[in-house]
Amino acid sequence: MSPTAILITILGTIMVGAMSPGPSFVMVSRISISRSRMDGLAAAIGIGLGGTIFATLALAGVTALITQFIWFYVALKVFGGAYLIYIATQMWLGASHPITATGAAEQSTVGRSFGVAVLTQLSNPKAIVVYASVFAAVLPPSIPPSLFIALPVGIFLVETSWYVIVALIFSSSKPQSIYLSAKRWIDRAAAGLLGALGLRLVYSAVYNRA
C-alpha cells in the first residue's frame, strides 16, 4: 500500500471513531450550547490537539511502555476517570445556576474552554491504545518518514473538523434557546453521562486491568 493509501485508510478509521459519542462530544456540544460559538470552536481545536498528542505518542512507541508497565496504564485510567467525575460534579452543582445569553462577556472563557477540551480528550488513555492498534494494523514495519508528519497533522485536521461541525451546530440560536429553557435538566443529563464514563474508566482500571 502506498503512503497516501495508508494515510487515507488510517484517517478514515479515525474519523469513524471521532464521530462515536463520548466525553469529547458531550464536552464540545455543551460548551458550544452554553457559552459561545468561539468557545465551541476553541474546544474543537482542543480536542484535535489532544488527539494529535495521543497519535504522536503512539507513533513514538509509548504504548509499548504502557503495555510493559501495567501499573502506569492503570494509574492513567484512574486519573482520567477521576477528572471526568470532577467535571461531572462541577456540571451537576452548577446545573441550577441561571446564565445569560451568550455574547461578548463570554469571550473571556475561550481559553478555559480550550484547556478543558484538551484535558477531556487526554482523560481517556484508551485512546492512545486505539491509535496504536490502528497504526499496527495498517502501517508497514518500516514506516515511511513522511507519515511521521502527515499522520499527526491529518489526525488533528480530522478530529478538529468533526468537532468544529459539532460546535457550529450546537452554537446556533435554536439549540441555545432550547438549552436556556431546560438548562438544569440538560446539564444534569450531561453530568450523569460524563460521570458514568468516568466511573466506567476507573472501574475498568481497578477491576479489569485492561
Side-chain angles (χ1 to χ4, degrees), residues 15-103:
M15 172 60 84
V16 173
M19 295 174 69
S20 302
S24 297
F25 179 87
V26 174
M27 185 57 61
V28 173
S29 60
R30 183 184 179 277
I31 286 175
S32 301
I33 203 173
S34 64
R35 296 181 185 173
S36 70
R37 177 159 291 178
M38 287 302 297
D39 279 282
L41 295 176
I45 295 172
I47 296 296
L49 177 60
T52 303
I53 291 172
F54 272 147
T56 302
L57 291 176
L59 281 173
V62 174
T63 45
L65 176 67
I66 292 176
T67 303
Q68 185 174 1
F69 298 100
I70 189 64
W71 62 267
F72 181 62
Y73 184 44
V74 170
L76 287 177
K77 291 173 73 174
V78 169
F79 282 115
Y83 176 73
L84 289 180
I85 293 170
Y86 167 76
I87 291 295
T89 301
Q90 296 299 307
M91 195 180 297
W92 183 279
L93 293 176
S96 59
H97 298 166
I99 61 173
T100 58
T102 56

Side-chain angles (χ1 to χ4, degrees), residues 47 49 77 171 179 188 190 207:
I47 296 296
L49 177 60
K77 291 173 73 174
S171 63
Y179 172 77
R188 287 181 175 174
Y207 293 100

Side-chain angles (χ1 to χ4, degrees), residues 2 4 10 91 96 121 178 209:
S2 69
T4 301
I10 291 177
M91 195 180 297
S96 59
Q121 180 76 317
I178 294 173
R209 302 295 180 88

